Amino acid sequence: MPGKTAAAARTKAGAPPTVGEDAVNVVELAGRVSGEPEARVLPSGDDLVTLRLVVARPGGGPVDTIDLACWSRSARRSASRVSDGDHVHVTGALRRRFFRTPGGAASRYEVEVTTLSRRRVSG
């Protein structure tokens, strides 16, 4: 695209805008679903599906358990079709969500899912 910066081209193509050329917030994960996805309607009226993903670290050792939030219709639909133990591939962005609890303000990091697909695991 002559005359346009790479960031402008990415934004035009539907990717979120970046602060600068070197700013990137893209997450790609593959792992196992832990527990059943939870669908709920927030007080704002927004629909949300949340689930947890267990991801093995390279070389073995401990695993990471990562919270996923599915806001878009396609991500919610895909998430509602997976079950505990399914292997999935996820793309999205890391977000920090702020909320209130009885003990005061709190925050949590989670991956805001763009795509989620079930993976076949051989073996």
Side-chain angles (χ1 to χ4, degrees):
M1 290 185 193
K4 292 190 177 185
T5 66
R10 282 193 303 271
T11 301
K12 191 89 166 162
T18 59
V19 174
E21 288 299 311
D22 58 347
V24 177
N25 183 356
V26 177
V27 175
E28 181 176 9
L29 300 166
R32 180 180 50 81
V33 174
S34 177
E36 296 297 327
E38 179 185 335
R40 57 190 165 135
V41 178
L42 300 178
S44 65
D46 292 330
D47 293 314
L48 174 65
V49 175
T50 58
L51 62 155
R52 285 210 167 114
L53 189 67
V54 175
V55 179
R57 292 184 183 181
V63 297
D64 293 306
T65 303
I66 301 167
D67 292 325
L68 306 178
C70 301
W71 292 95
S72 73
R73 181 173 302 200
S74 62
R76 291 192 315 265
R77 184 173 37 248
S78 296
S80 65
R81 293 180 178 153
V82 300
S83 299
D84 184 35
D86 284 349
H87 289 261
V88 298
H89 180 263
V90 174
T91 62
L94 186 64
R95 302 283 187 241
R96 186 174 181 195
R97 184 170 54 90
F98 296 88
F99 53 96
R100 295 203 179 278
T101 68
S107 69
R108 164 176 288 165
Y109 282 99
E110 60 193 11
V111 172
E112 184 176 310
V113 175
T114 304
T115 65
L116 184 149
S117 57
R118 191 175 298 146
R119 297 176 49 149
R120 295 189 191 273
V121 177
S122 58

